[in-house]
Amino acid sequence: MAESATQYGEVIFKDVITLVRLKDTHTVILKDCSMTVEKGKLTVLVGPSGCGKTTVINLIAGYEVPYRGEVLMDGKPIAGPNWERLVVFQEMALFPWLTCYENVVFSPTVRGSMTKEEMHSEAMRLLELVGLKGFEEKYPMQLSGGMQRRAELARALINQPKIMLMDEPFRGLDAMTRELMQEYYLKLFEATKSTNLFVTSEIEEAIFLADKLLVMTNKPTKIKKAFDVDLPRPRDWKMATSPRYRELKAEILELLHEEAIKASVASGKADVDLAAAYERIREARK
Amino acid sequence: MATNAQTMTDTSDTLVSQTAVWKPVVKRSSWEQLKRKIFALATVRRISSVLIFLALWTVVVRFIPNFHQIPPPEQVFLAIFKIKVSVFFFEIFRSLYRVLSGFFLGILIGFPIGVAIGYSRILNYLLFPAVEMVRPIPPIAWIPLSVLFFVNIESQIIFLTFYGAFFPTVYNTVGGISGVDIRLPRAGMSFGVSKAQLLFRIILPAASPQIFAGLKIAIGITWLMVVAAEMIASKGGLGYLIWYNHTVMNYPFVFVGMGTIGVIGALCSVGVDRVGKRFTKWLDIF
């Protein structure tokens, strides 16, 4: 898995436009959005809330289709949902009526892609890998938030997807669990080196995880700037004190702050004076 | 992560052992245990609720002039012993047969229609407006038409009970299906389910709690309908038993009939609940 997975999963967006249709009008979500999710790397997408990050995930997963433009994976256009592109959702999306074990073997069972013995040994291996040994017979609602997220990881990993799509997966977890999950997820990625796209609105999380970091603008959304996060791997939380980390964080904060102000002006939550004041401060700083 | 799970089990262990330490170790005889149970405040309150009800009944019958024909509780109690057991049970089974035939017919026809309306947009447009038009008519208003539909009185009664069960089943099936979290079928589609598997392995299990809530309402309405229909049809059953004893002014028996309907209706409801719990084990896990 470690070798083969890195060969696949390159996703390219070419001038993608998506719309949300309302009654007699429509809102443009993505506008001329072009980007690349490189294979074998962990790409993180950060952006202000409500900017269409989930839309990007849905496009790659095949739940939505672009209005204009193309989304290609390994050179081929994406057609509908498929086990090659799996999503770990915000909040829990395990099947609550199945036990932890049944959730993990769900996909191989319905697809008939593995023999029973293979499936069982692989599921047990993955459950042990994500630290859920002994919880096979528990229902998802009996697990803690962190454990649910790990079960979901195992459920996706058993398919050996070409790309893992993480849609703010650690949102809603408490701070401690969240940090643990980030470190855990990073270890898992560093071990497999498969293609990952991770979406978040938290800058610290983004820098900590990313090989490549894409900052999104506010609606209509495109990629504002791409960063190569050249912090050494394997990483741990001591990294947060390194100068490079702080440099990156400052730069990204600046970009996002600008977008956040634009967003609040656009939605009428702040008056234009605030934006003007912000511009003045920036001028003064230069 | 394994450590996380470890600490969880650890704390629960210490909790258990602590309570074990703090629990006063006093051996009680079984008689004493029984006495404690009987004189527990909750039990005393429950019993006094019944006693107060009976006292109120007696007082109302004695002292309100218009109510003097109503039998006091002791007369009703004595009437139980005057029942001809064979006749009485025959009437019970007659009603029960009608209720259950109507109920299962309601499921047999209502459930597929509910699934069709909930699952297919085209069928939703084709069927739902008609259902919506007929639904507000109270089932009892169909009594005259049922006479036109069927010559056989037994069929008329079963039609009415069926009708009572039909709409709650359809409505809650539709509601349950349309209320399914979109992420569950989406995840299923990514995992490679076929159309049939999507319905049977994802949509229906996810909707099952509300479907069973609908069946519980349905069995209640079936009893309502069977009593109304039997009173009019004069073809036996508990409803007819009540009505007949009313016409011959044998009021204690009216009360016995009413009480029987109450008890058996409650038993039916509990039965449906039990079956529902068996299908939705994952819900009561705490």
Side-chain angles (χ1 to χ4, degrees), chain A residues 17 79 82 277:
Chain A
I17 302 176
N82 191 300

Side-chain angles (χ1 to χ4, degrees), chain B residues 97-131:
Chain B
Y97 162 73
R98 288 163 181 167
V99 162
L100 293 182
S101 330
F103 179 65
F104 285 114
L105 268 175
I107 295 175
L108 215 67
I109 299 171
F111 179 66
I113 290 180
V115 170
I117 294 175
Y119 199 53
S120 149
R121 186 165 297 211
I122 297 169
L123 287 174
N124 187 322
Y125 290 147
L126 283 175
L127 292 173
F128 208 49
V131 169

Side-chain angles (χ1 to χ4, degrees), chain A residues 209-274:
Chain A
L209 298 173
D211 283 322
K212 196 135 196 212
L213 202 155
L214 306 173
V215 181
M216 297 179 92
T217 66
N218 198 44
K219 262 183 286 184
T221 308
K222 56 172 81 178
I223 303 300
K224 190 168 174 125
K225 197 167 176 190
F227 293 87
D228 279 311
V229 182
D230 43 12
L231 297 161
R233 286 188 190 277
R235 294 175 190 167
D236 58 38
W237 272 101
K238 285 173 207 136
M239 196 195 70
T241 54
S242 73
R244 177 65 182 141
Y245 177 91
R246 276 182 284 172
E247 203 180 295
L248 275 169
K249 187 175 166 184
E251 203 173 335
I252 294 162
L253 261 176
E254 182 90 356
L255 289 174
L256 279 179
H257 193 65
E258 208 179 295
E259 289 306 317
I261 286 191
K262 276 191 210 159
S264 57
V265 171
S267 65
K269 279 179 197 155
D271 42 44
V272 186
D273 291 349
L274 183 62

